[in-house]
Amino acid sequence: MHWRQAWATEDRKRGNMSTVIVVGHVNHDQVWSLSSPLASGSRITYSDRVVRLGGGGFHTGTQLAKLGNNVRLISNLMDDDHGREALAKLQASGIDTGYVTLWPGETRFTEILLEPNGERTILNPGGQLRPPFAAPEPVRGDAAYLNALVLDDGLVASLRTIPLVVSQFPLRSASNRPADIVIGSRADFPGEDTRGIWERASPIAGPRLRTLVLTDGLRPISLYDGKTLNHVTPLKQVSVPDTIGAGDCFTGIFLHGLLQGLSLELSAERASQQTAEWLSERACTG
C-alpha cells in the first residue's frame, strides 16, 4: 500500500478526520525543460514542455486531501475551459470547491523555465490584478493554510477563530494574518540570519506566531520559536531537476502531522521524507 494511502487509512480508522481551510492559487503551469542554462542573448532549445496544475492551493490542498482530511479550498479560477477543467480535477481529488470563485475572463499560464540543474525562472503575466481571497460567509475548520498575499477582512476575521493557522511566508506586500506557524525557504532570504527572518515574519503573523519553519533544500530544516533554534535532518534525500511544488507538498504533510498530534520535529521529519518520495515518484512517472 502506498504511504499516503496507508497513513490516510490509519487516520480514518482512528476517526481523525480534520477539516482544513486552504487559501491559495490554483495555477496552470507551463513548464519548459531547457536543454541548457539560461544565458542572455543565447539561443536555447527545450527537451519537453508540459502544462499541469500548480500553485500552493492546488499542491497543498491535494496532499491534505490524499491524507484523509476534509479540505475546503478558497481560490479563484477563470470561467473558461481551463478554469472549469481545473475545478473538475479539484473536485475529483476530494476537495470541497464551494468557495472557489469563477471569474469572467481567460486563463493565463504561468511560464516556468526549468534548467537542467533544477534552477527555475518563473514568468507571471503582468497587468493582471488578481482579486483578494474571500469567502461569502464565515469559515470554520480545525486548521487553515494560507499561501496568498491579499485576504479580505472577513476571511481574516474567520482565521482568528481557527485553532491552528499555518501561513507561507509572503515575499511581497501582503495582508497581515493571524498565524501560529510561518513556513518559508532559506533560498528566499539570502544572507539573512534566522532571527532577522523571524523579525520580518512577526508583524505579518501577529502575536500568535509561535514557530518559524525554514526549509533548505537537502540541508537541515530549521525550527525557530524566537529564542531557540532546532534543526531536523532529512532522513531521505533525492536529487531531481524538477522540484516545483515540493515546498507546498512538504507543508501539506507537515500540517497533517501536527493535526495528528505529532511534534513539530517529527512532523517536519515525515514531511521531508515523504516529499522526497513524492518527487521520486513524479520523476519516474513523468
Side-chain angles (χ1 to χ4, degrees):
M1 182 180 289
H2 191 280
W3 63 263
R4 278 191 295 251
Q5 294 172 315
W7 201 358
T9 299
E10 181 182 347
D11 292 339
R12 289 191 185 100
K13 288 179 180 178
R14 293 198 300 260
N16 293 336
M17 297 282 286
S18 297
T19 296
V20 184
I21 308 301
V22 174
V23 184
H25 292 291
V26 177
N27 296 332
H28 289 74
D29 293 340
Q30 183 161 235
V31 182
W32 303 74
S33 297
L34 305 183
S35 300
S36 59
L38 285 172
S40 178
S42 65
R43 294 178 180 269
I44 299 174
T45 61
Y46 62 92
S47 59
D48 190 28
R49 180 185 64 180
V50 62
V51 177
R52 65 193 187 204
L53 292 182
F58 172 74
H59 284 301
T60 305
T62 52
Q63 287 297 331
L64 285 162
K66 287 174 183 176
L67 292 168
N69 298 281
N70 297 313
V71 177
R72 304 189 73 182
L73 177 64
I74 298 176
S75 192
N76 300 295
L77 289 167
M78 306 310 291
D79 191 7
D80 61 1
D81 288 344
H82 292 297
R84 289 188 291 272
E85 288 173 6
L87 192 68
K89 288 182 180 179
L90 291 166
Q91 292 167 345
S93 69
I95 292 176
D96 180 347
T97 61
Y99 290 156
V100 176
T101 303
L102 290 175
W103 293 86
E106 181 180 351
T107 296
R108 301 172 72 179
F109 292 174
T110 296
E111 305 289 345
I112 302 178
L113 309 180
L114 184 64
E115 299 180 40
N117 64 357
E119 289 291 330
R120 59 182 184 259
T121 301
I122 301 175
L123 307 177
N124 284 311
Q128 185 182 38
L129 293 177
R130 291 188 170 184
F133 289 86
E137 60 188 15
V139 294
R140 299 287 184 269
D142 300 296
Y145 169 64
L146 315 173
N147 193 336
L149 294 177
V150 183
L151 313 174
D152 86 339
D153 292 342
L155 181 53
V156 172
S158 288
L159 293 172
R160 296 192 184 102
T161 71
I162 294 178
L164 174 61
V165 178
V166 178
S167 177
Q168 196 71 23
F169 201 121
L171 299 178
R172 290 179 288 160
S173 178
S175 305
N176 292 343
R177 70 283 310 271
D180 305 280
I181 299 173
V182 172
I183 296 184
S185 169
R186 280 203 179 273
D188 293 323
F189 307 97
E192 294 190 50
D193 62 13
T194 305
R195 180 69 195 179
I197 302 171
W198 169 274
E199 290 174 352
R200 289 178 58 180
S202 293
I204 300 168
R208 278 180 59 168
L209 181 61
R210 296 291 178 266
T211 306
L212 172 68
V213 180
L214 294 173
T215 60
D216 196 11
L218 302 178
R219 291 173 286 277
I221 301 155
S222 300
L223 304 175
Y224 184 63
D225 65 2
K227 296 180 180 178
T228 303
L229 176 61
N230 293 319
H231 291 101
V232 174
T233 301
L235 297 180
K236 181 179 177 65
Q237 298 187 352
V238 59
S239 181
V240 295
D242 184 0
T243 60
I244 298 167
D248 300 316
C249 175
F250 172 92
T251 301
I253 301 166
F254 174 76
L255 176 51
H256 177 79
L258 296 179
L259 287 168
Q260 301 310 304
L262 302 182
S263 66
L264 289 164
E265 290 79 8
L266 186 53
S267 295
E269 186 177 280
R270 285 195 177 184
S272 176
Q273 177 180 349
Q274 292 165 8
T275 299
E277 293 171 3
W278 177 77
L279 288 170
S280 297
E281 291 171 9
R282 188 173 67 180
C284 292
T285 60

